[in-house]
Amino acid sequence: MNGYLEALQPKLSEIGYQKLSAIASTKVHEFIAKASDLCNAEKIFICSDSAEDIAYVRQQAIATAEEKILALPGHTIHFDGVYDQGRDREATKYLVPKGISLSSALNQIDRQEGLAEVKGLLRDSMEGRTMIVRFISLGPPNSIFTVLGLQCTDSWYVAHSEDLLYRPGYEVFRQAEPNREFLRVLHSAGKLNKNMASMEHKKKRIYIDHMDNTIYSVNTQYAGNSVGFKKLAFRLAIRKADREGWLAEHMMIMGVHGPGGRKTYFAGAFPSACGKTSTAMLPGETILGDDIAYIRDIGLVARAVNVESGIFGIIQDVNPIDDASIYKVLTSPGEIIFSNVLVKDGKPYWLGMGSELPKDGINFSGEWYEGKTDADGNEVPPAHKNARYAVALKALENCDPELDNPMGVELSGIMYGGRDAKAYVPVQQSFDWKHGIIAYGAALETETTFATIGKEGVLEINMMSIQDFISIPLGQNVCNNLEFGKKLKKAPLVFGVNYFLRDKEGKFLNSPQDKHAWIKWMELRVHGEAGAIRSPTGYLPKYEDLSKLFNRILSKDYTKEDYIKQFTIRVPENLAKIERVQRFYQENVSDTPAELFEMLDQQRKRLLEAKERFGDYISPDSFEW
Ligand code: SPV
Ligand code: MN
């Protein structure tokens, strides 16, 4: 018995003590002992992978009223505080030693100062509470992709969410070498109000200490700030990937089903609330992951796994027309945690669900009634825009059978997509890996959304949709991506998508379903079965191919007029975009690779040449000669 185990023993049950002793790593014992000491937990619950332990966690989430039971079997609801409805960028900071800067675009704080602050906030935060210890396998267990994670939390809701969203890892920890690396998360929900929601939002902190592979999170319950293996450990994984030569990405993974029964895998990076989950959920296709992917070069082929095994998805606009498969799951019995929806008579309601909402009920603001206003006089919506559901992927009919393949799946294509009202066409293919990584990935621009706290609709650069999570110098991340593809025998094709293009009047040029035609076009491109038009910003689809796909996949007539509107190259908007991207990298990213600026210059040159010949707004037909 080591000193840490000894110190922990009084707070553990006998079985708990045995479970912890079965893990050889002193570092594991040390982390738990120090966490318990700092937070002053009354008891410690060690959650193994057993059905019994997992059922206990859910039961406690309900017993403590962090979750409440809904009418359908398996359904529960959790409410986060009014100021805790999304990821909090301001409260999230990287701890950096004196004299080091990751990038001026990232939120950083001196490590010593930050540690003192966050530990001060965590001190005694678990007094009178149980600290739950969860062991997780990020990625399939016993695979080259596996990364181990350990979280101590005082929130049963957080521990329960982890069960739906991640693969259990107690057995992996038990069998691991004593000095195997693992990512650590210490979380406390802090003081709770009568609705069992974190109440001290001004003292919310999410601090990333990469030097110690540890994340501290306090005074928050919103899963993006508290579920350690979502965006918290992701930030540490990005550093690990950088050291070891693989990629950790904010990407969904899906199997696209093509002619003759073939299946082709794609990964897609989109900022939060820009269509990532709904793309992976397209009817007739299979979903392997919706948020975080680890990608490795295995035998000179890009292979990917889903780090997670469940979905923490945005529920707004999930309705029987736009997202039929997930709508069915959300309205059938089965284990689901809803968060921040409206509840009336045990039934969950959300914005855009395709049916009428009740005029009153319970929501994140407490008792809700139509016309209710908040402290600033703004109307409180019935459900929050960022209301979500947590469900295991295996509960879905369209879950891809390769989910747990320890070798991952071979990626044939990747896509980048942001909320870009003005510049990029709905879908295009890059000229090569390098062009795609830079013009679509590094240059990804998007409007801020409700998934982060703050103003919506502000246009910003969100490099590879990873800007909120990047934990290495930004230029290094561009280089890592460029290098990764260069080494492959056959790099995945790179596509840029934009589901949010608008016309001059501000009207969207596409319906949400149209993305299915873009995805099917990509699949055909991978197999050399669709043509393309070379434009200054990338290869565009041909009208004939899209028209057939709209007909076959969506039973829709696709007019040439719509095609031209959507695929017109808007030269002034594209030139302005290049200026913004260039400025961002010049001002914020001192280690930007020269290739990025060269690539932007080439794109500018192509646009100016085209403008010379065809004018400011160029129909795709003009390029076909
Ligand atoms: C996102 O906002 O990108 C999400 C949800 O996937 S979370 O990061 O958990 O807030
Ligand atoms: Mn995400």
Side-chain angles (χ1 to χ4, degrees), residues 24-41:
S25 167
T26 314
K27 292 265 179 230
V28 167
H29 303 149
E30 180 183 355
F31 179 68
I32 300 170
K34 288 189 172 164
S36 152
D37 218 34
L38 174 67
C39 303
N40 198 7

Side-chain angles (χ1 to χ4, degrees), residues 355-501:
S355 49
E356 210 172 314
L357 267 52
K359 307 263 180 264
D360 62 310
I362 307 285
N363 77 359
F364 65 98
S365 72
E367 294 276 349
W368 176 84
Y369 43 85
E370 207 170 42
K372 182 175 181 181
T373 50
D374 65 16
D376 302 323
N378 299 317
E379 197 158 319
V380 180
H384 198 274
K385 282 183 176 178
N386 197 30
R388 296 202 174 225
Y389 60 87
V391 68
L393 271 163
K394 292 231 168 88
L396 312 182
E397 280 169 3
N398 54 335
C399 172
D400 193 275
E402 301 299 319
L403 175 63
D404 288 325
N405 187 339
M407 292 295 283
V409 293
E410 178 177 343
L411 292 182
S412 298
I414 61 171
M415 65 190 91
Y416 293 102
R419 222 171 246 266
D420 170 359
K422 292 187 177 160
Y424 273 165
V425 294
V427 63
Q428 55 188 339
Q429 181 194 331
S430 70
F431 302 125
D432 54 26
W433 176 263
K434 185 166 145 183
H435 174 241
I437 292 298
I438 292 169
Y440 308 154
L444 196 147
E445 284 190 294
T446 199
E447 288 168 26
T448 51
T449 68
F450 51 77
T452 51
I453 292 174
K455 206 163 168 294
E456 275 183 54
V458 180
L459 190 69
E460 61 179 14
I461 305 274
N462 190 330
M463 184 190 8
M464 295 166 197
S465 87
I466 217 173
Q467 191 88 19
D468 284 351
F469 319 112
I470 193 94
S471 50
I472 57 173
L474 266 57
Q476 181 66 29
N477 188 56
V478 178
C479 291
N480 290 351
N481 275 270
L482 291 174
E483 284 308 307
F484 185 83
K486 272 187 208 155
K487 293 198 200 116
L488 300 171
K489 196 166 57 198
K490 196 167 145 231
L493 301 186
V494 186
F495 297 90
V497 292
N498 177 18
Y499 303 157
F500 300 92
L501 188 65

Side-chain angles (χ1 to χ4, degrees), residues 87 222-225 230-231 250 272 276 291 312 388 451 469:
R87 272 188 291 105
Y222 173 70
N225 302 323
K230 210 153 191 45
K231 296 306 170 12
H250 190 207
S272 311
K276 186 149 53 72
D291 202 35
F312 176 59
R388 296 202 174 225
F469 319 112

Side-chain angles (χ1 to χ4, degrees), residues 133-153:
V133 180
R134 290 229 57 163
F135 302 91
I136 294 295
S137 167
L138 297 168
N142 307 315
S143 114
I144 183 167
F145 289 95
T146 316
V147 173
L148 298 186
L150 169 60
Q151 175 154 11
C152 296
T153 177

